[in-house]
Amino acid sequence: GQNIDQPTEMTATEGAIVQINCTYQTSGFNGLFWYQQHAGEAPTFLSYNVLDGLEEKGRFSSFLSRSKGYSYLLLKELQMKDSASYLCAVRDQTGANNLFFGTGTRLTVIP
Amino acid sequence: DSGVTQTPKHLITATGQRVTLRCSPRSGDLSVYWYQQSLDQGLQFLIQYYNGEERAKGNILERFSAQQFPDLHSELNLSSLELGDSALYFCASSVVMQSEAFFGQGTRLTVV
């Protein structure tokens, strides 16, 4: 089975940096994904890590440590439009490579 | 626009009824996934198809069924609907099973 944990809610200030953590347990790890979801809208793909280390993509970076079952998403220079839920998802090759999602972290950016 | 198309966008129906949700994956994508998202809940995996074949089932009720057709579009059938089935139903697709998935805009189902 899969177990994915994220904080439920976070608040950060416009212009600041925020780190959203995700811990996971899965029997057949085959990649970790981060998605952004605004309320009532579709999740949109942000980043993908399959090897340990940091992946940077503009204001967003994602880190993975497979030995610790740990990832984080780093958002820099926060903007009001970054207020959304951030979903950590693990691909499990024992489950036909399905994507299993955590419950998400709701980020509120304040002025 | 992700390229994944879901219809209808909204659906209101009565308890006990049956509905069909439709998904057209991105061009070239062979894998289709269905997810259910209830209010303030995470995405719950329902079922996955790859190139027309069922590959995995998640927490899908027996009242629900799905299929993927030769043209790769997929349909999710929900029957004997209950109030608790009210949710957003998302379809996602990926090129192969290992790659990132792209989501459609979802179908908001309301059972009254």
Side-chain angles (χ1 to χ4, degrees):
Chain A
Q2 302 79 23
N3 190 32
I4 302 169
D5 287 313
Q6 305 178 235
T8 305
E9 293 188 6
M10 298 182 72
T11 302
T13 305
E14 190 177 14
I17 299 173
V18 71
Q19 178 174 311
I20 303 174
N21 296 324
C22 171
T23 57
Y24 65 88
Q25 291 175 307
T26 183
S27 48
F29 178 81
N30 195 21
L32 189 137
F33 298 77
W34 285 95
Y35 284 79
Q36 179 192 61
Q37 186 180 26
H38 287 97
E41 297 183 9
T44 55
F45 169 73
L46 290 177
S47 70
Y48 167 59
N49 295 70
V50 66
L51 299 176
D52 291 351
L54 190 68
E55 294 284 339
E56 297 188 78
K57 202 187 273 188
R59 294 190 298 115
F60 294 74
S61 304
S62 57
F63 172 83
L64 175 67
S65 169
R66 289 172 296 170
S67 62
K68 295 182 179 176
Y70 168 68
S71 173
Y72 67 72
L73 180 70
L74 196 70
L75 292 78
K76 303 174 189 172
E77 301 168 15
L78 280 172
Q79 301 174 11
M80 300 299 290
K81 67 177 182 180
D82 296 329
S83 293
S85 287
Y86 291 85
L87 313 178
C88 172
V90 172
R91 196 176 281 289
D92 186 338
Q93 62 185 1
T94 62
N97 276 304
N98 277 309
L99 265 182
F100 294 93
F101 284 82
T103 52
T105 298
R106 186 177 302 175
L107 174 67
T108 302
V109 180
I110 57 176
Chain B
D1 182 5
S2 67
V4 180
T5 304
Q6 287 188 249
T7 56
K9 286 191 170 56
H10 301 275
L11 198 50
I12 301 175
T13 190
T15 54
Q17 295 298 304
R18 172 189 168 94
V19 297
T20 297
L21 313 183
R22 182 187 169 99
C23 169
S24 294
R26 294 187 319 159
S27 177
D29 284 2
L30 299 177
S31 249
V32 168
Y33 313 79
W34 286 98
Y35 289 87
Q36 179 193 56
Q37 188 174 43
S38 302
L39 192 63
D40 291 334
Q41 297 292 310
L43 285 162
Q44 297 295 317
F45 168 67
L46 295 178
I47 197 163
Q48 179 202 7
Y49 285 85
Y50 180 78
N51 203 21
E53 292 187 8
E54 181 186 302
R55 283 305 179 99
K57 270 187 175 179
N59 299 320
I60 187 167
L61 300 171
E62 285 190 12
R63 301 183 285 109
F64 296 0
S65 65
Q67 58 185 128
Q68 187 180 28
F69 295 87
D71 67 353
L72 300 178
H73 90 270
S74 179
E75 293 181 356
L76 179 67
N77 300 297
L78 315 176
S79 61
S80 303
L81 284 167
E82 302 175 359
L83 295 177
D85 297 328
S86 296
L88 263 171
Y89 290 84
F90 286 106
C91 167
S93 73
S94 62
V95 174
V96 292
M97 292 189 290
Q98 295 85 353
S99 57
E100 66 267 28
F102 293 88
F103 283 77
Q105 290 300 308
T107 294
R108 182 175 294 281
L109 174 66
T110 304
V111 182
V112 297

